[in-house]
Amino acid sequence: YWDGSGHRRNVVCLKGDTIAHFLELVRKDLAKEFREMTNVSSDALLYVKEDLIIPQDLTFYDLIATKARGKSGPLFYFDARDDVRVGAIDARVEKEDSHPGKVVERRWYERNKHIFPASRWEIFDPRKTYGSYTIHG
């Protein structure tokens, strides 16, 4: 959960779960600790992965099966290895790992979309090519 600072959690999803279902699970989990989440619907939450806002109608399975790519590489990559590059790391070469996503309130995003990191976020379009990164290795 991201409200200007990170609050890491784990949620288990099943094959075929939509982003909307995932956000509802997250909302229920967060409501235990963040009272404001009890009055928020999952429609008022956004899932951000690799600086991309993932639409709620997509499934994790579709993103994984199609090897969907973000701005800095694969959105999900489960065959990650340690980064064994020595010396200065070239930011133009992607690592083969997957970073945690962020769940934010849409209202927070609307208030902060002109400030980093939200200023970099855009809606995911599966037809768009987001960069010319190469996998090192």
Side-chain angles (χ1 to χ4, degrees):
Y1 174 62
W2 183 264
D3 59 0
S5 62
H7 306 278
R8 290 210 177 187
R9 301 286 186 280
N10 290 316
V11 175
V12 176
C13 293
L14 300 175
K15 182 178 177 178
D17 280 354
T18 63
I19 301 299
H21 184 260
F22 163 74
L23 290 172
E24 179 57 23
L25 294 174
V26 169
R27 188 198 65 76
K28 287 179 181 176
D29 184 56
L30 290 173
K32 299 171 193 170
E33 186 176 340
F34 300 93
R35 270 195 1 223
E36 64 270 19
M37 285 292 134
T38 58
N39 298 323
V40 172
S41 76
S42 58
D43 290 337
L45 298 175
L46 301 174
Y47 178 55
V48 181
K49 182 79 165 131
E50 304 290 338
D51 290 336
L52 297 171
I53 299 168
I54 309 299
Q56 292 194 12
D57 61 330
L58 295 177
T59 67
F60 285 102
Y61 180 78
D62 291 337
L63 294 168
I64 294 165
T66 61
K67 298 183 179 180
R69 297 184 61 81
K71 293 180 178 181
S72 61
L75 289 178
F76 300 96
Y77 191 81
F78 294 103
D79 297 328
R81 298 186 298 261
D82 287 337
D83 187 5
V84 294
R85 294 176 281 182
V86 178
I89 295 175
D90 187 349
R92 295 169 297 179
V93 178
E94 73 188 22
K95 277 181 63 177
E96 295 178 319
D97 63 0
S98 185
H99 302 100
K102 292 179 177 70
V103 173
V104 301
E105 283 188 75
R106 186 179 307 271
R107 185 178 54 163
W108 182 93
Y109 170 71
E110 292 298 330
R111 282 194 321 257
N112 295 284
K113 63 183 173 184
H114 63 286
I115 303 169
F116 183 84
S119 61
R120 294 184 39 116
W121 300 347
E122 63 183 272
I123 296 175
F124 174 71
D125 179 355
R127 297 174 303 256
K128 182 176 179 180
T129 301
Y130 287 98
S132 58
Y133 290 90
T134 59
I135 295 178
H136 179 76

